[in-house]
Amino acid sequence: MSRSERSADDIAAASAISLAELPLIDFAPFLSGDAAARRRVAAEIAHACEEIGFFYLAGHGVPQATVDGIFGQADAFFSRDKADRRTAMATPDWYRGWIPAPEAQPLSRNTRMFEQYRLQHEWPANPRDMQHADIFDKPNRWPDDMPAFKQASEDYLAAMLTFSRELLRAFALGLGVAEDRFDDCFHQPASQLSMNYYPQLPMDAHDEVSNMVAHTDEGPFTVLAQQDVGGLEVKRRDGVWIQAPPVRGAFTINVGDMMMWWSNGRFLSNYHRVRNRDGARRFSVPYFANPDREVVVAPLPELLASAEPKYKPVRVADHLARFYSTLSKNPHDIYN
């Protein structure tokens, strides 16, 4: 998570919205249509990315059974006794597995009231980047006696890899560059998967208290699967917070920092947070699409014909390593 500077309005209550503010886009024509259909869908995505940085995406081609499978296993894992969850606990030198909420914390705007299970794609060790081997080259950690958890997670990771590569092509077309512009950046992507569990906020919690504080995401984009319990809130360009309720069968897509940098600020990496006040447990599954670790992200030269670059080049491995370094200081300080 990119915890960029927050402002006073980040504690404001969120307003209910119509879907017109977070548009619902059908991705099916992009997956199966002709060139004109692909351009039309890409234009819809680009418009949403310019206006708010969030949109719903239906017709994505990921089987509902795959989505239901990972939610079922997330529920099963977080329903286990804490002692059983602890057997799969993430550590600073092996950043995979369960990350609990702090045992005790005051209720404030910085409260962290959620648990997560973190996974990454497993690729062969990269001998050209041994500096970050502990971050990227470790295997995933799996809970004891839950083979279905491992299978559902691997199925979902595989589905997300295929889907995210298609979505990248839509982002490229929406920016007006070659459709395959990002293909070479995602051969062995450093993408991550998180299963998040949010208990209900206490009834006496002040309006400023969130399960997850306001933040932007590190990578190019995030694919979020939600169930029926809401809580996600998004900040518009005018500073107003709005609710982003679940839409059955659709993913919620948000632009991250790296896509904003690639687009030279045309696409917006926007603040979002979670406040679960629905009276029920909430689960979500975000997939953080990140490029290959050796990729250097900078404004695309094709977009700089009449503009100066607004962002400096950033190497993916170094950028993500700064985020992971928080583990060595506080294992709970992981907000995505």
Side-chain angles (χ1 to χ4, degrees):
M1 182 200 82
S2 176
R3 286 191 293 160
S4 307
E5 183 178 353
R6 299 193 297 272
S7 58
D9 60 12
D10 289 346
I11 66 173
S15 303
I17 63 164
S18 69
L19 285 182
E21 294 203 52
L22 282 181
L24 176 59
I25 299 172
D26 184 6
F27 200 54
F30 189 90
L31 295 175
S32 59
D34 59 16
R38 291 171 73 84
R39 288 194 298 269
R40 184 176 64 252
V41 173
E44 293 179 28
I45 289 174
H47 180 72
C49 293
E50 292 166 352
E51 290 298 312
I52 193 170
F54 274 77
F55 56 94
Y56 296 109
L57 198 69
H60 44 68
V62 177
Q64 188 62 43
T66 302
V67 179
D68 292 342
I70 196 164
F71 274 114
Q73 290 305 309
D75 191 349
F77 176 80
F78 289 113
S79 297
R80 303 185 99 187
D81 292 339
K82 184 171 291 186
D84 293 328
R85 281 175 282 166
R86 192 172 297 278
T87 64
M89 187 170 177
T91 57
D93 60 344
W94 186 5
Y95 182 60
R96 307 285 196 282
W98 178 56
I99 301 173
E103 291 289 344
Q105 58 183 324
L107 293 178
S108 72
R109 69 181 299 177
N110 293 316
T111 298
R112 180 188 184 279
M113 195 171 292
F114 74 103
E115 301 176 25
Q116 61 185 167
Y117 201 102
R118 294 286 295 221
L119 301 166
Q120 293 184 17
H121 288 295
E122 294 180 335
W123 304 114
N126 188 336
R128 298 183 300 277
D129 183 27
M130 298 309 296
Q131 177 186 359
H132 302 112
D134 280 350
I135 297 174
F136 299 108
D137 294 341
K138 293 288 183 70
N140 284 321
R141 187 195 308 264
W142 303 107
D144 295 338
D145 305 320
M146 292 187 71
F149 182 97
K150 181 176 185 290
Q151 186 64 58
S153 300
E154 290 180 337
D155 289 348
Y156 197 81
L157 278 166
M160 285 293 102
L161 182 61
T162 298
F163 166 66
S164 63
R165 285 169 169 163
E166 287 291 337
L167 186 54
L168 278 162
R169 288 177 163 248
F171 277 114
L173 281 177
L175 286 170
V177 299
E179 184 176 334
D180 62 356
R181 183 62 174 83
F182 299 120
D183 285 8
D184 285 342
C185 299
F186 285 80
H187 292 298
Q188 295 184 343
S191 300
Q192 306 138 3
L193 176 68
S194 180
M195 284 170 265
N196 294 343
Y197 159 54
Y198 303 91
Q200 180 188 8
L201 287 172
M203 296 299 294
D204 60 348
H206 297 296
D207 286 343
E208 69 176 15
V209 177
S210 301
N211 294 85
M212 180 187 292
V213 297
H215 66 281
T216 61
D217 287 345
E218 302 276 352
F221 63 89
T222 302
V223 180
L224 177 69
Q226 303 188 75
Q227 284 188 306
D228 297 330
V229 178
L232 176 65
E233 300 177 349
V234 178
K235 188 177 181 180
R236 296 191 318 208
R237 281 186 180 271
D238 61 4
V240 173
W241 283 93
I242 59 176
Q243 299 170 12
V247 173
R248 179 68 177 176
F251 292 133
T252 308
I253 311 294
N254 71 271
V255 175
D257 295 345
M258 291 183 192
M259 187 60 72
M260 184 169 68
W261 301 340
W262 265 330
S263 71
N264 203 34
R266 178 180 164 187
F267 288 177
L268 177 67
S269 176
N270 210 349
Y271 282 98
H272 51 287
R273 68 191 181 198
V274 175
R275 288 179 171 175
N276 179 13
R277 299 183 184 275
D278 276 12
R281 300 194 306 168
R282 178 181 189 267
F283 297 97
S284 72
V285 181
Y287 175 82
F288 304 99
N290 294 317
D292 298 346
R293 59 208 263 191
E294 294 182 325
V295 169
V296 175
V297 177
L300 299 177
E302 303 96 307
L303 306 181
L304 299 179
S306 59
E308 293 295 321
K310 298 179 180 178
Y311 308 99
K312 296 180 179 179
V314 176
R315 183 170 177 265
V316 170
D318 298 332
H319 182 64
L320 294 179
R322 285 192 291 272
F323 166 65
Y324 293 137
S325 69
T326 59
L327 271 176
S328 62
K329 302 172 185 176
N330 183 354
H332 301 295
D333 196 15
I334 314 260
Y335 289 90
N336 264 328

